[in-house]
Amino acid sequence: MDTRSQELFEAAKKKIPGGVNSPVRAFGAVGRTPRFIASAKGSRITDVDGNEMIDYVCSWGPGILGHAHPRVIEEVQKACARGLTYGAPTENEVVLAELICERIPSMEMSRLVSSGTEAVMSAIRAARGYTGRDKIIKFRGCYHGHSDGLLVKAGSAALTTAVPDSAGVPAGYTQSTLLASYNDKESVERLFAADPDGIAAVIVEPVAANMGVVLPDADFLPFLRRITERFHALLIFDEVITGFRLGLGGAQEYYQVFPDLTTLGKIVGGGMPMGAYGGRREIMRQISPDGPVYQAGTLSGNPIATAAGIETLRLLKEDPAIYQRLEKKAVQIAQTVREAANEPVCVNQIGSLLSVFFTSCPVKDYESALSSDTARYADYFGYLLDHGIYTAPAQFEAMFISDAHTQEDIAETCRVIRDYFH
Ligand code: KE4
């Protein structure tokens, strides 16, 4: 007898491409029927068949406090009662802008948008408008949302699907996008040498998490800071995942490397649709209506998303020890996999982000990530799912841990992982 998820998936596929509103949710990379979720609370997520699971997707990052945190829910409910959206400036937008700029060292000004994609698309336009240059360097395996110019060897779902570039993107839209290799300084030097005055910006995930988690080599981020300064290009840190995840100041505070522009998403909206971009005042003053770089949005900074984002950032700010707690839990899981695996695995972990790669080589870039055995990953994913552990349904994604994950959750997760390998 079909499960309710199977029934809903069949119905969904009739009306929604792939049956989902974002490709990775279709479980295509792991060959299973996606679980349709009915509710979530804390570290637990419950599907429409009543299966409760320990959730390590956390909505791909926003859920750093766990699902349905009571204080966030209360603020959202109060905001809803005051009306959902006005299309006019509100006090909350000032409060959130001040919180963001207080916490993210390089952001003197910020603009709120409705997704990470929109934040990146806008930051790139700002960089091109400020420098008067067209070319953008990105890294193979890094994913920065689905704006046309960046869907070239994107990571995340595009990396998992068969088509590395997206159909429907005219060649002209991507001819100003240059590709380098993550952790490969020479690949960046070659691009700048070939066009020393034509590159507007380098955009990078300071910790890559869309080819699975891949850490920057010790000097990679400082190198990017040096070479962009040398050639008068801007450095953009895409901190949609790492922002407020690796610490209150994101990856830039963690690594003490400060970009010209930063993009944010996920945690900044506390689970509601929100992104943000920002940086040096002289760059952000180029953005309309102050300057000639146009960018707009009906629901940008809307009262509900700002209420959720403000309360989330306040909770993180009140209890910075959360980041040590998150790291400890992630290390426990990472160590368990390393010790239990009786086959080659590479586990990359930083803060509360980790990925398990089924490969014998260190995973340090797109090419080495592709060496992982995705069929083995799918088998691992399926066993965990069948035993109540909901982890990333694709090799080239990250596992996220929240403050709501208890020691009992972690112990149960480690038990299931050990059972899988034995
Ligand atoms: P959104 O447009 O999905 O809010 O953000 C795009 C984005 C930008 N930059 C980085 C570093 C990102 O990781 C993302 C989106 N991340 C994926 C997970 N790998 C979102 C999940 C999905 O696509 O459904």
Side-chain angles (χ1 to χ4, degrees):
M1 193 262 284
D2 280 356
T3 64
R4 183 71 180 132
S5 278
Q6 286 168 327
E7 288 167 5
L8 285 170
F9 194 37
E10 290 313 309
K13 284 189 283 189
K14 294 187 176 78
K15 300 293 183 189
I16 306 168
V20 291
N21 284 305
S22 199
V24 70
R25 301 178 193 172
F27 279 22
V30 291
R32 300 290 291 261
T33 298
R35 297 293 178 85
F36 279 63
I37 301 307
S39 66
K41 178 71 179 161
S43 63
R44 304 291 172 127
I45 198 163
T46 303
D47 71 18
V48 292
D49 293 287
N51 300 303
E52 185 184 275
M53 299 161 280
I54 302 173
D55 177 24
Y56 290 102
V57 173
C58 299
S59 185
W60 305 102
I64 192 167
L65 297 171
H67 292 290
H69 189 289
R71 276 182 48 183
V72 176
I73 297 299
E74 183 187 356
E75 290 306 315
V76 167
Q77 287 172 333
K78 285 188 327 195
C80 288
R82 297 192 294 266
L84 301 184
T85 178
Y86 319 127
T90 61
E91 181 177 354
N92 267 1
E93 290 164 87
V94 183
V95 171
L96 186 51
E98 289 172 346
L99 274 172
I100 290 169
C101 296
E102 172 199 324
R103 303 314 318 170
I104 306 288
S106 62
M107 292 175 83
E108 294 176 332
M109 296 186 88
S110 74
R111 173 60 69 83
L112 298 180
V113 292
S114 296
S115 72
T117 293
E118 203 180 346
V120 170
M121 183 174 71
S122 308
I124 294 232
R125 190 179 306 133
R128 286 172 164 154
Y130 177 75
T131 61
R133 299 175 174 181
D134 292 344
K135 300 269 175 64
I136 297 290
I137 293 175
K138 77 170 289 290
F139 294 89
R140 287 183 187 82
C142 285
Y143 175 69
H144 303 289
H146 63 91
S147 57
D148 282 339
L150 291 172
L151 284 180
V152 281
K153 289 285 182 213
S156 188
L159 181 66
T160 309
T161 56
V163 178
D165 294 334
S166 171
V169 176
Y173 280 43
T174 58
Q175 67 191 22
S176 294
T177 307
L178 308 175
L179 277 172
S181 293
Y182 200 80
N183 281 326
D184 178 349
K185 296 180 191 176
E186 281 178 25
S187 70
V188 182
E189 284 164 345
R190 282 195 298 272
L191 294 173
F192 272 105
D195 193 353
D197 301 320
I199 293 169
V202 173
I203 185 167
V204 68
E205 290 180 65
V207 170
N210 286 286
M211 45 180 143
V213 175
V214 175
L215 307 189
D217 288 346
D219 187 46
F220 184 56
L221 298 178
F223 158 78
L224 292 180
R225 181 64 285 179
R226 292 194 302 271
I227 196 166
T228 45
E229 282 172 346
R230 185 171 142 218
F231 287 94
H232 309 295
L234 299 187
L235 179 57
I236 304 175
F237 273 8
D238 180 349
E239 296 225 40
V240 167
I241 284 186
T242 55
F244 308 111
R245 168 66 57 180
L246 288 193
L248 278 171
Q252 55 196 270
E253 187 176 64
Y254 188 98
Y255 288 102
Q256 289 294 295
V257 175
F258 302 101
D260 301 294
L261 289 170
T262 300
T263 57
L264 298 169
K266 300 180 192 281
I267 294 172
V268 75
M272 298 301 290
M274 187 189 289
Y277 69 102
R280 295 205 329 256
R281 186 175 303 278
E282 61 185 320
I283 303 171
M284 293 304 287
R285 295 302 296 265
Q286 300 294 313
I287 306 297
S288 61
D290 274 358
V293 178
Y294 192 71
Q295 180 264 311
T298 303
L299 296 174
S300 296
N302 73 80
I304 315 308
T306 50
I310 289 166
E311 198 59 23
T312 297
L313 297 194
R314 279 179 175 159
L315 282 157
L316 292 170
K317 191 177 160 187
E318 279 171 22
D319 181 12
I322 183 175
Y323 292 103
Q324 286 73 30
R325 296 198 296 269
L326 288 168
E327 170 113 50
K328 183 169 176 284
K329 292 183 253 189
V331 166
Q332 279 179 264
I333 293 176
Q335 282 305 99
T336 298
V337 175
R338 293 187 186 110
E339 289 159 11
N342 42 23
E343 63 184 282
V345 292
C346 168
V347 183
N348 288 345
Q349 173 267 328
I350 181 169
S352 54
L353 288 171
L354 69 139
S355 288
V356 177
F357 296 93
F358 287 83
T359 179
S360 54
C361 66
V363 177
K364 300 176 64 60
D365 57 20
Y366 176 75
E367 285 68 28
S368 49
L370 286 179
S371 76
S372 51
D373 182 338
T374 53
R376 288 290 302 119
Y377 182 84
D379 186 72
Y380 165 78
F381 169 85
Y383 183 89
L384 266 59
L385 185 70
D386 293 341
H387 292 80
I389 309 298
Y390 188 86
T391 191
Q395 169 70 83
F396 306 113
E397 296 292 350
M399 192 174 176
F400 296 87
I401 296 175
S402 82
D403 196 39
H405 284 89
T406 63
Q407 274 309 312
E408 291 71 29
D409 291 331
I410 302 301
E412 172 63 9
T413 304
C414 292
R415 186 188 65 74
V416 171
I417 289 169
R418 280 191 291 272
D419 288 353
Y420 172 70
F421 284 109
H422 294 153

